[in-house]
Amino acid sequence: DAGVIQSPRHEVTEMGQEVTLRCKPISGHNSLFWYRQTMMRGLELLIYFNNNVPIDDSGMPEDRFSAKMPNASFSTLKIQPSEPRDSAVYFCASRGTGSTNEKLFFGSGTQLSVL
Amino acid sequence: DAKTTQPNSMESNEEEPVHLPCNHSTISGTDYIHWYRQLPSQGPEYVIHGLTSNVNNRMASLAIAEDRKSSTLILHRATLRDAAVYYCMLTGGTSYGKLTFGQGTILTVHP
């Protein structure tokens, strides 16, 4: 099992550019979470999908952020336009089909730097 | 969401037991207690979780107070690899298992 796979590992971009972060959950998992981590705010939940449907996006900071899950094996988090304050590590996590109290598996994260 | 309170930091010596406390006085009857840890430059990883009874796995033990208002994560023999930030969180029956991370406890392990 390859675990949760995120790409790219590092992304450096200029303010105003579009950024797309990608996540491949563990095969067979039906829940997917996007988190953001900064020194100031710690780990914040951005959005949660269940069976490819967004269930809770209350953590998405603003309209510049959007997330999609076109199928069970792929999700994207897009920032357009990007701003320096979006610089953070973005984590994707997935969970299996059992209880909602099952453990989450996290990817290695994408380090985003917006200059 | 019910809140948890953890010490900002703790220190231990290698091969000694470590007891990491967590207070959750507003816990509800359906809240599970979850522990995750985050090693430097890595994503969080699951450690253990429980509801009422104490739990053991290959990584750690979870001791839950009888009134469930506090819990303790026990690392039986700390290693240098256990140096990490440890997060204690609650998940309720109505929050789809959402994990809300606090600041956690930074564990330093001395050789």
Side-chain angles (χ1 to χ4, degrees):
Chain A
D1 189 345
V4 176
I5 300 172
Q6 292 187 245
S7 63
R9 287 298 308 273
H10 303 275
E11 176 80 34
V12 181
T13 190
E14 293 188 347
M15 183 174 62
Q17 297 298 305
E18 177 180 295
V19 175
T20 299
L21 311 180
R22 297 172 175 80
C23 175
K24 177 178 170 56
I26 292 173
S27 177
H29 283 192
N30 70 336
S31 296
L32 185 138
F33 301 77
W34 281 99
Y35 283 84
R36 176 174 69 175
Q37 186 171 33
T38 61
M39 288 294 292
M40 290 294 292
R41 301 175 67 89
L43 273 157
E44 304 173 277
L45 176 64
L46 300 178
I47 187 168
Y48 157 68
F49 291 87
N50 189 53
N51 292 323
N52 312 335
V53 176
I55 302 299
D56 183 353
D57 63 355
S58 59
M60 296 286 264
E62 49 197 273
D63 291 346
R64 297 184 298 106
F65 285 69
S66 63
K68 294 182 180 180
M69 192 162 186
N71 56 62
S73 60
F74 184 65
S75 177
T76 59
L77 178 67
K78 184 177 294 185
I79 308 172
Q80 167 62 18
S82 58
E83 297 182 3
R85 60 192 168 121
D86 302 329
S87 297
V89 181
Y90 290 80
F91 290 103
C92 174
S94 70
R95 184 177 63 206
T97 58
S99 158
T100 55
N101 288 295
E102 277 197 21
K103 59 186 176 182
L104 268 62
F105 292 82
F106 283 79
S108 298
T110 294
Q111 173 79 59
L112 174 64
S113 297
V114 183
L115 306 178
Chain B
D1 294 338
K3 300 293 184 187
T4 62
T5 304
Q6 300 177 251
N8 290 332
S9 63
M10 291 186 65
E11 297 186 19
S12 174
N13 295 318
E14 200 173 10
E15 299 192 3
E16 290 184 354
V18 181
H19 290 234
L20 297 166
C22 181
N23 288 319
H24 28 78
S25 58
T26 60
I27 191 170
S28 72
T30 58
D31 282 334
Y32 279 74
I33 303 160
H34 291 250
W35 284 83
Y36 281 71
R37 72 181 185 181
Q38 187 173 22
L39 280 64
S41 301
Q42 294 188 27
E45 67 173 341
Y46 169 84
V47 178
I48 201 166
H49 79 283
L51 182 62
T52 56
S53 302
N54 294 344
V55 184
N56 300 296
N57 66 21
R58 64 174 181 82
M59 289 181 69
S61 295
L62 176 60
I64 302 173
E66 196 168 332
D67 63 4
R68 301 208 325 125
K69 293 185 176 182
S70 66
S71 61
T72 302
L73 178 70
I74 303 167
L75 307 179
H76 295 286
R77 290 184 64 198
T79 68
L80 297 178
R81 194 193 172 278
D82 291 321
V85 181
Y86 287 78
Y87 298 96
C88 167
M89 295 168 285
L90 306 178
T91 59
T94 58
S95 65
Y96 57 78
K98 176 173 68 174
L99 290 177
T100 301
F101 287 81
Q103 293 306 305
T105 296
I106 300 171
L107 175 65
T108 302
V109 180
H110 299 289

